mmCIF file of all heavy atoms in Angstrom:
data_model
loop_
_atom_site.group_PDB
_atom_site.id
_atom_site.type_symbol
_atom_site.label_atom_id
_atom_site.label_comp_id
_atom_site.label_asym_id
_atom_site.label_seq_id
_atom_site.Cartn_x
_atom_site.Cartn_y
_atom_site.Cartn_z
ATOM 1 N N ALA A 12 36.557 17.670 42.809
ATOM 2 C CA ALA A 12 35.989 18.513 41.751
ATOM 3 C C ALA A 12 36.306 17.960 40.368
ATOM 4 O O ALA A 12 35.648 18.313 39.389
ATOM 5 C CB ALA A 12 36.516 19.940 41.878
ATOM 6 N N LEU A 13 37.303 17.077 40.278
ATOM 7 C CA LEU A 13 37.678 16.485 38.992
ATOM 8 C C LEU A 13 36.826 15.270 38.638
ATOM 9 O O LEU A 13 36.753 14.876 37.473
ATOM 10 C CB LEU A 13 39.155 16.069 39.025
ATOM 11 C CG LEU A 13 40.175 17.157 39.368
ATOM 12 C CD1 LEU A 13 41.551 16.530 39.547
ATOM 13 C CD2 LEU A 13 40.205 18.230 38.296
ATOM 14 N N VAL A 14 36.197 14.682 39.625
ATOM 15 C CA VAL A 14 35.465 13.431 39.439
ATOM 16 C C VAL A 14 34.189 13.665 38.634
ATOM 17 O O VAL A 14 33.438 14.624 38.867
ATOM 18 C CB VAL A 14 35.130 12.802 40.801
ATOM 19 C CG1 VAL A 14 34.274 11.541 40.616
ATOM 20 C CG2 VAL A 14 36.409 12.459 41.552
ATOM 21 N N GLY A 15 33.971 12.770 37.654
ATOM 22 C CA GLY A 15 32.785 12.865 36.803
ATOM 23 C C GLY A 15 32.956 13.812 35.636
ATOM 24 O O GLY A 15 31.994 14.046 34.882
ATOM 25 N N ARG A 16 34.175 14.304 35.430
ATOM 26 C CA ARG A 16 34.414 15.279 34.354
ATOM 27 C C ARG A 16 35.430 14.729 33.354
ATOM 28 O O ARG A 16 36.343 13.985 33.720
ATOM 29 C CB ARG A 16 34.886 16.605 34.947
ATOM 30 C CG ARG A 16 33.882 17.172 35.941
ATOM 31 C CD ARG A 16 34.429 18.323 36.755
ATOM 32 N NE ARG A 16 34.518 19.553 35.971
ATOM 33 C CZ ARG A 16 34.857 20.745 36.508
ATOM 34 N NH1 ARG A 16 35.125 20.835 37.805
ATOM 35 N NH2 ARG A 16 34.905 21.809 35.757
ATOM 36 N N PRO A 17 35.300 15.111 32.078
ATOM 37 C CA PRO A 17 36.194 14.581 31.043
ATOM 38 C C PRO A 17 37.523 15.337 30.985
ATOM 39 O O PRO A 17 37.602 16.524 31.303
ATOM 40 C CB PRO A 17 35.400 14.809 29.757
ATOM 41 C CG PRO A 17 34.595 16.043 30.051
ATOM 42 C CD PRO A 17 34.226 15.952 31.508
ATOM 43 N N VAL A 18 38.550 14.620 30.553
ATOM 44 C CA VAL A 18 39.847 15.241 30.298
ATOM 45 C C VAL A 18 39.828 15.807 28.884
ATOM 46 O O VAL A 18 39.665 15.071 27.910
ATOM 47 C CB VAL A 18 40.992 14.221 30.453
ATOM 48 C CG1 VAL A 18 42.333 14.893 30.173
ATOM 49 C CG2 VAL A 18 40.981 13.598 31.841
ATOM 50 N N ASP A 19 39.976 17.124 28.774
ATOM 51 C CA ASP A 19 39.894 17.785 27.469
ATOM 52 C C ASP A 19 41.246 17.945 26.787
ATOM 53 O O ASP A 19 41.310 18.116 25.562
ATOM 54 C CB ASP A 19 39.257 19.172 27.630
ATOM 55 C CG ASP A 19 37.799 19.084 28.052
ATOM 56 O OD1 ASP A 19 37.161 18.057 27.766
ATOM 57 O OD2 ASP A 19 37.299 20.039 28.687
ATOM 58 N N GLY A 20 42.315 17.919 27.560
ATOM 59 C CA GLY A 20 43.622 18.118 26.950
ATOM 60 C C GLY A 20 44.732 17.942 27.957
ATOM 61 O O GLY A 20 44.508 17.930 29.168
ATOM 62 N N VAL A 21 45.960 17.789 27.437
ATOM 63 C CA VAL A 21 47.155 17.661 28.272
ATOM 64 C C VAL A 21 48.196 18.611 27.703
ATOM 65 O O VAL A 21 48.424 18.647 26.487
ATOM 66 C CB VAL A 21 47.715 16.228 28.283
ATOM 67 C CG1 VAL A 21 48.830 16.092 29.323
ATOM 68 C CG2 VAL A 21 46.615 15.208 28.554
ATOM 69 N N ALA A 22 48.828 19.393 28.575
ATOM 70 C CA ALA A 22 49.797 20.388 28.122
ATOM 71 C C ALA A 22 51.008 20.394 29.042
ATOM 72 O O ALA A 22 51.010 19.779 30.111
ATOM 73 C CB ALA A 22 49.155 21.781 28.095
ATOM 74 N N ARG A 23 52.039 21.089 28.613
ATOM 75 C CA ARG A 23 53.272 21.237 29.395
ATOM 76 C C ARG A 23 53.560 22.700 29.659
ATOM 77 O O ARG A 23 53.410 23.536 28.772
ATOM 78 C CB ARG A 23 54.457 20.602 28.636
ATOM 79 C CG ARG A 23 55.796 20.754 29.361
ATOM 80 C CD ARG A 23 56.945 20.163 28.552
ATOM 81 N NE ARG A 23 57.097 20.809 27.251
ATOM 82 C CZ ARG A 23 57.703 21.974 27.056
ATOM 83 N NH1 ARG A 23 58.194 22.670 28.074
ATOM 84 N NH2 ARG A 23 57.803 22.474 25.837
ATOM 85 N N HIS A 24 53.999 23.004 30.874
ATOM 86 C CA HIS A 24 54.508 24.322 31.239
ATOM 87 C C HIS A 24 55.876 24.093 31.872
ATOM 88 O O HIS A 24 55.963 23.662 33.022
ATOM 89 C CB HIS A 24 53.592 25.032 32.233
ATOM 90 C CG HIS A 24 52.144 25.046 31.843
ATOM 91 N ND1 HIS A 24 51.630 25.942 30.920
ATOM 92 C CD2 HIS A 24 51.109 24.256 32.229
ATOM 93 C CE1 HIS A 24 50.333 25.709 30.782
ATOM 94 N NE2 HIS A 24 50.002 24.699 31.552
ATOM 95 N N GLY A 25 56.956 24.323 31.119
ATOM 96 C CA GLY A 25 58.270 23.999 31.650
ATOM 97 C C GLY A 25 58.345 22.518 31.970
ATOM 98 O O GLY A 25 58.194 21.664 31.101
ATOM 99 N N LYS A 26 58.547 22.178 33.249
ATOM 100 C CA LYS A 26 58.600 20.778 33.681
ATOM 101 C C LYS A 26 57.283 20.331 34.313
ATOM 102 O O LYS A 26 57.217 19.246 34.904
ATOM 103 C CB LYS A 26 59.733 20.587 34.694
ATOM 104 C CG LYS A 26 61.128 20.939 34.164
ATOM 105 C CD LYS A 26 62.161 20.764 35.272
ATOM 106 C CE LYS A 26 63.520 21.290 34.859
ATOM 107 N NZ LYS A 26 64.511 21.169 35.954
ATOM 108 N N PHE A 27 56.236 21.134 34.213
ATOM 109 C CA PHE A 27 54.933 20.792 34.776
ATOM 110 C C PHE A 27 54.046 20.131 33.726
ATOM 111 O O PHE A 27 54.028 20.551 32.567
ATOM 112 C CB PHE A 27 54.208 22.045 35.276
ATOM 113 C CG PHE A 27 54.783 22.639 36.535
ATOM 114 C CD1 PHE A 27 55.892 23.463 36.483
ATOM 115 C CD2 PHE A 27 54.202 22.390 37.775
ATOM 116 C CE1 PHE A 27 56.425 24.032 37.639
ATOM 117 C CE2 PHE A 27 54.717 22.949 38.934
ATOM 118 C CZ PHE A 27 55.833 23.773 38.866
ATOM 119 N N VAL A 28 53.277 19.123 34.149
ATOM 120 C CA VAL A 28 52.250 18.500 33.313
ATOM 121 C C VAL A 28 50.901 19.059 33.746
ATOM 122 O O VAL A 28 50.625 19.191 34.942
ATOM 123 C CB VAL A 28 52.253 16.964 33.463
ATOM 124 C CG1 VAL A 28 51.122 16.344 32.652
ATOM 125 C CG2 VAL A 28 53.601 16.392 33.029
ATOM 126 N N ASP A 29 50.055 19.387 32.774
ATOM 127 C CA ASP A 29 48.777 20.050 33.039
ATOM 128 C C ASP A 29 47.658 19.287 32.332
ATOM 129 O O ASP A 29 47.612 19.230 31.104
ATOM 130 C CB ASP A 29 48.862 21.498 32.527
ATOM 131 C CG ASP A 29 47.525 22.224 32.540
ATOM 132 O OD1 ASP A 29 46.569 21.737 33.179
ATOM 133 O OD2 ASP A 29 47.444 23.310 31.911
ATOM 134 N N LEU A 30 46.762 18.676 33.127
ATOM 135 C CA LEU A 30 45.566 18.029 32.583
ATOM 136 C C LEU A 30 44.391 18.992 32.705
ATOM 137 O O LEU A 30 44.034 19.403 33.815
ATOM 138 C CB LEU A 30 45.239 16.740 33.347
ATOM 139 C CG LEU A 30 45.898 15.438 32.864
ATOM 140 C CD1 LEU A 30 47.398 15.484 33.123
ATOM 141 C CD2 LEU A 30 45.262 14.242 33.554
ATOM 142 N N ASP A 31 43.822 19.355 31.579
ATOM 143 C CA ASP A 31 42.630 20.200 31.557
ATOM 144 C C ASP A 31 41.420 19.276 31.688
ATOM 145 O O ASP A 31 41.093 18.517 30.781
ATOM 146 C CB ASP A 31 42.577 20.978 30.242
ATOM 147 C CG ASP A 31 41.359 21.890 30.147
ATOM 148 O OD1 ASP A 31 40.452 21.787 30.999
ATOM 149 O OD2 ASP A 31 41.307 22.702 29.202
ATOM 150 N N VAL A 32 40.770 19.343 32.846
ATOM 151 C CA VAL A 32 39.632 18.469 33.135
ATOM 152 C C VAL A 32 38.364 19.321 33.118
ATOM 153 O O VAL A 32 37.956 19.878 34.135
ATOM 154 C CB VAL A 32 39.813 17.767 34.494
ATOM 155 C CG1 VAL A 32 38.685 16.760 34.729
ATOM 156 C CG2 VAL A 32 41.170 17.069 34.564
ATOM 157 N N ASP A 33 37.819 19.487 31.927
ATOM 158 C CA ASP A 33 36.579 20.253 31.771
ATOM 159 C C ASP A 33 36.693 21.645 32.383
ATOM 160 O O ASP A 33 35.778 22.144 33.034
ATOM 161 C CB ASP A 33 35.417 19.478 32.402
ATOM 162 C CG ASP A 33 34.052 20.026 31.992
ATOM 163 O OD1 ASP A 33 33.952 20.598 30.895
ATOM 164 O OD2 ASP A 33 33.102 19.880 32.789
ATOM 165 N N GLY A 34 37.861 22.283 32.190
ATOM 166 C CA GLY A 34 38.071 23.648 32.667
ATOM 167 C C GLY A 34 38.756 23.770 34.001
ATOM 168 O O GLY A 34 39.243 24.848 34.355
ATOM 169 N N THR A 35 38.803 22.687 34.768
ATOM 170 C CA THR A 35 39.596 22.656 35.997
ATOM 171 C C THR A 35 40.863 21.865 35.699
ATOM 172 O O THR A 35 40.833 20.913 34.915
ATOM 173 C CB THR A 35 38.808 21.991 37.145
ATOM 174 O OG1 THR A 35 37.621 22.754 37.375
ATOM 175 C CG2 THR A 35 39.618 21.947 38.425
ATOM 176 N N HIS A 36 41.964 22.261 36.315
ATOM 177 C CA HIS A 36 43.256 21.696 35.926
ATOM 178 C C HIS A 36 43.907 20.906 37.054
ATOM 179 O O HIS A 36 43.986 21.384 38.193
ATOM 180 C CB HIS A 36 44.203 22.810 35.480
ATOM 181 C CG HIS A 36 43.739 23.538 34.260
ATOM 182 N ND1 HIS A 36 44.277 23.318 33.014
ATOM 183 C CD2 HIS A 36 42.752 24.457 34.093
ATOM 184 C CE1 HIS A 36 43.660 24.090 32.127
ATOM 185 N NE2 HIS A 36 42.726 24.783 32.755
ATOM 186 N N LEU A 37 44.372 19.703 36.711
ATOM 187 C CA LEU A 37 45.250 18.939 37.588
ATOM 188 C C LEU A 37 46.664 19.137 37.060
ATOM 189 O O LEU A 37 46.986 18.709 35.954
ATOM 190 C CB LEU A 37 44.881 17.453 37.586
ATOM 191 C CG LEU A 37 45.858 16.526 38.328
ATOM 192 C CD1 LEU A 37 45.942 16.875 39.802
ATOM 193 C CD2 LEU A 37 45.470 15.057 38.138
ATOM 194 N N VAL A 38 47.469 19.813 37.839
ATOM 195 C CA VAL A 38 48.834 20.143 37.441
ATOM 196 C C VAL A 38 49.791 19.422 38.384
ATOM 197 O O VAL A 38 49.557 19.393 39.602
ATOM 198 C CB VAL A 38 49.069 21.668 37.525
ATOM 199 C CG1 VAL A 38 50.515 22.005 37.161
ATOM 200 C CG2 VAL A 38 48.099 22.405 36.610
ATOM 201 N N PHE A 39 50.854 18.834 37.843
ATOM 202 C CA PHE A 39 51.827 18.203 38.731
ATOM 203 C C PHE A 39 53.254 18.363 38.220
ATOM 204 O O PHE A 39 53.505 18.537 37.030
ATOM 205 C CB PHE A 39 51.502 16.727 38.980
ATOM 206 C CG PHE A 39 51.391 15.862 37.746
ATOM 207 C CD1 PHE A 39 52.502 15.253 37.198
ATOM 208 C CD2 PHE A 39 50.150 15.640 37.150
ATOM 209 C CE1 PHE A 39 52.398 14.442 36.082
ATOM 210 C CE2 PHE A 39 50.033 14.826 36.035
ATOM 211 C CZ PHE A 39 51.159 14.224 35.494
ATOM 212 N N HIS A 40 54.176 18.339 39.184
ATOM 213 C CA HIS A 40 55.616 18.448 38.936
ATOM 214 C C HIS A 40 56.262 17.244 39.584
ATOM 215 O O HIS A 40 56.070 16.990 40.775
ATOM 216 C CB HIS A 40 56.149 19.752 39.535
ATOM 217 C CG HIS A 40 57.574 20.058 39.165
ATOM 218 N ND1 HIS A 40 58.644 19.331 39.656
ATOM 219 C CD2 HIS A 40 58.108 21.013 38.364
ATOM 220 C CE1 HIS A 40 59.766 19.831 39.162
ATOM 221 N NE2 HIS A 40 59.476 20.839 38.378
ATOM 222 N N LEU A 41 57.048 16.481 38.824
ATOM 223 C CA LEU A 41 57.586 15.222 39.311
ATOM 224 C C LEU A 41 58.830 15.379 40.173
ATOM 225 O O LEU A 41 59.274 14.412 40.810
ATOM 226 C CB LEU A 41 57.881 14.298 38.126
ATOM 227 C CG LEU A 41 56.625 13.858 37.361
ATOM 228 C CD1 LEU A 41 57.015 13.178 36.062
ATOM 229 C CD2 LEU A 41 55.755 12.945 38.204
ATOM 230 N N ALA A 42 59.424 16.574 40.202
ATOM 231 C CA ALA A 42 60.581 16.862 41.037
ATOM 232 C C ALA A 42 61.740 15.903 40.723
ATOM 233 O O ALA A 42 61.825 15.343 39.644
ATOM 234 C CB ALA A 42 60.200 16.823 42.516
ATOM 235 N N ARG A 43 62.634 15.704 41.694
ATOM 236 C CA ARG A 43 63.856 14.952 41.424
ATOM 237 C C ARG A 43 63.606 13.456 41.231
ATOM 238 O O ARG A 43 64.207 12.821 40.371
ATOM 239 C CB ARG A 43 64.855 15.152 42.577
ATOM 240 C CG ARG A 43 66.202 14.471 42.350
ATOM 241 C CD ARG A 43 67.091 14.647 43.560
ATOM 242 N NE ARG A 43 67.477 16.027 43.733
ATOM 243 C CZ ARG A 43 68.581 16.574 43.205
ATOM 244 N NH1 ARG A 43 69.399 15.832 42.477
ATOM 245 N NH2 ARG A 43 68.872 17.847 43.408
ATOM 246 N N ALA A 44 62.729 12.875 42.039
ATOM 247 C CA ALA A 44 62.597 11.413 42.032
ATOM 248 C C ALA A 44 61.173 10.936 41.780
ATOM 249 O O ALA A 44 60.852 9.778 42.032
ATOM 250 C CB ALA A 44 63.101 10.842 43.368
ATOM 251 N N GLY A 45 60.318 11.795 41.274
ATOM 252 C CA GLY A 45 58.952 11.390 40.993
ATOM 253 C C GLY A 45 58.803 10.805 39.598
ATOM 254 O O GLY A 45 59.629 11.035 38.719
ATOM 255 N N TRP A 46 57.730 10.035 39.399
ATOM 256 C CA TRP A 46 57.463 9.495 38.067
ATOM 257 C C TRP A 46 55.980 9.168 37.940
ATOM 258 O O TRP A 46 55.243 9.141 38.931
ATOM 259 C CB TRP A 46 58.300 8.262 37.785
ATOM 260 C CG TRP A 46 58.347 7.928 36.315
ATOM 261 C CD1 TRP A 46 57.914 6.787 35.727
ATOM 262 C CD2 TRP A 46 58.838 8.756 35.258
ATOM 263 N NE1 TRP A 46 58.100 6.852 34.361
ATOM 264 C CE2 TRP A 46 58.664 8.061 34.054
ATOM 265 C CE3 TRP A 46 59.408 10.035 35.219
ATOM 266 C CZ2 TRP A 46 59.032 8.584 32.813
ATOM 267 C CZ3 TRP A 46 59.768 10.556 33.981
ATOM 268 C CH2 TRP A 46 59.592 9.835 32.807
ATOM 269 N N LEU A 47 55.560 8.968 36.701
ATOM 270 C CA LEU A 47 54.180 8.612 36.401
ATOM 271 C C LEU A 47 54.145 7.179 35.899
ATOM 272 O O LEU A 47 54.920 6.805 35.017
ATOM 273 C CB LEU A 47 53.604 9.559 35.354
ATOM 274 C CG LEU A 47 52.148 9.317 34.940
ATOM 275 C CD1 LEU A 47 51.464 10.636 34.648
ATOM 276 C CD2 LEU A 47 52.065 8.418 33.692
ATOM 277 N N ARG A 48 53.246 6.389 36.465
ATOM 278 C CA ARG A 48 53.085 4.989 36.075
ATOM 279 C C ARG A 48 51.662 4.797 35.588
ATOM 280 O O ARG A 48 50.709 4.890 36.361
ATOM 281 C CB ARG A 48 53.385 4.096 37.273
ATOM 282 C CG ARG A 48 53.416 2.593 36.955
ATOM 283 C CD ARG A 48 53.879 1.812 38.169
ATOM 284 N NE ARG A 48 52.983 1.993 39.301
ATOM 285 C CZ ARG A 48 53.323 1.750 40.557
ATOM 286 N NH1 ARG A 48 54.551 1.372 40.855
ATOM 287 N NH2 ARG A 48 52.437 1.907 41.533
ATOM 288 N N PHE A 49 51.522 4.518 34.281
ATOM 289 C CA PHE A 49 50.203 4.336 33.685
ATOM 290 C C PHE A 49 49.847 2.862 33.629
ATOM 291 O O PHE A 49 50.692 2.005 33.364
ATOM 292 C CB PHE A 49 50.171 4.921 32.270
ATOM 293 C CG PHE A 49 48.793 4.979 31.672
ATOM 294 C CD1 PHE A 49 47.990 6.082 31.874
ATOM 295 C CD2 PHE A 49 48.303 3.912 30.928
ATOM 296 C CE1 PHE A 49 46.711 6.131 31.340
ATOM 297 C CE2 PHE A 49 47.030 3.952 30.387
ATOM 298 C CZ PHE A 49 46.228 5.067 30.596
ATOM 299 N N SER A 50 48.583 2.565 33.877
ATOM 300 C CA SER A 50 48.111 1.178 33.797
ATOM 301 C C SER A 50 46.839 1.122 32.976
ATOM 302 O O SER A 50 45.935 1.944 33.164
ATOM 303 C CB SER A 50 47.843 0.632 35.208
ATOM 304 O OG SER A 50 47.298 -0.671 35.131
ATOM 305 N N GLU A 51 46.777 0.145 32.079
ATOM 306 C CA GLU A 51 45.571 -0.029 31.280
ATOM 307 C C GLU A 51 44.420 -0.564 32.132
ATOM 308 O O GLU A 51 43.259 -0.390 31.784
ATOM 309 C CB GLU A 51 45.843 -0.984 30.111
ATOM 310 C CG GLU A 51 46.911 -0.505 29.138
ATOM 311 C CD GLU A 51 46.488 0.723 28.339
ATOM 312 O OE1 GLU A 51 45.294 1.082 28.370
ATOM 313 O OE2 GLU A 51 47.368 1.315 27.687
ATOM 314 N N LYS A 52 44.766 -1.194 33.252
ATOM 315 C CA LYS A 52 43.747 -1.693 34.176
ATOM 316 C C LYS A 52 44.289 -1.545 35.596
ATOM 317 O O LYS A 52 45.083 -2.363 36.052
ATOM 318 C CB LYS A 52 43.396 -3.147 33.883
ATOM 319 C CG LYS A 52 42.202 -3.653 34.702
ATOM 320 C CD LYS A 52 41.833 -5.068 34.287
ATOM 321 C CE LYS A 52 40.664 -5.613 35.093
ATOM 322 N NZ LYS A 52 39.412 -4.818 34.883
ATOM 323 N N LEU A 53 43.855 -0.501 36.282
ATOM 324 C CA LEU A 53 44.335 -0.232 37.630
ATOM 325 C C LEU A 53 43.813 -1.270 38.624
ATOM 326 O O LEU A 53 42.730 -1.846 38.449
ATOM 327 C CB LEU A 53 43.864 1.151 38.096
ATOM 328 C CG LEU A 53 44.644 2.368 37.613
ATOM 329 C CD1 LEU A 53 43.955 3.636 38.099
ATOM 330 C CD2 LEU A 53 46.089 2.335 38.083
ATOM 331 N N SER A 54 44.576 -1.481 39.680
ATOM 332 C CA SER A 54 44.120 -2.313 40.783
ATOM 333 C C SER A 54 42.848 -1.708 41.381
ATOM 334 O O SER A 54 42.698 -0.485 41.458
ATOM 335 C CB SER A 54 45.202 -2.397 41.859
ATOM 336 O OG SER A 54 44.685 -2.941 43.055
#
């Protein structure tokens, strides 16, 4: 449902990251050992 839709904003709720994707939200919590790795050019 997120595919083909723009990211309108990024917010925080406590330790949660929230991507607002055209009104639908991808929310994630990294827990104890999780992390985010950004790439300018993904494989």
Side-chain angles (χ1 to χ4, degrees):
L13 304 172
V14 176
R16 302 168 75 174
V18 180
D19 293 335
V21 188
R23 178 182 60 80
H24 311 280
K26 300 178 188 178
F27 288 82
V28 176
D29 171 14
L30 272 68
D31 180 350
V32 185
D33 194 28
T35 300
H36 296 257
L37 172 62
V38 178
F39 57 87
H40 188 290
L41 294 169
R43 183 183 293 269
W46 197 241
L47 180 145
R48 187 173 61 200
F49 190 89
S50 176
E51 299 292 348
K52 188 176 179 63
L53 280 176
S54 167

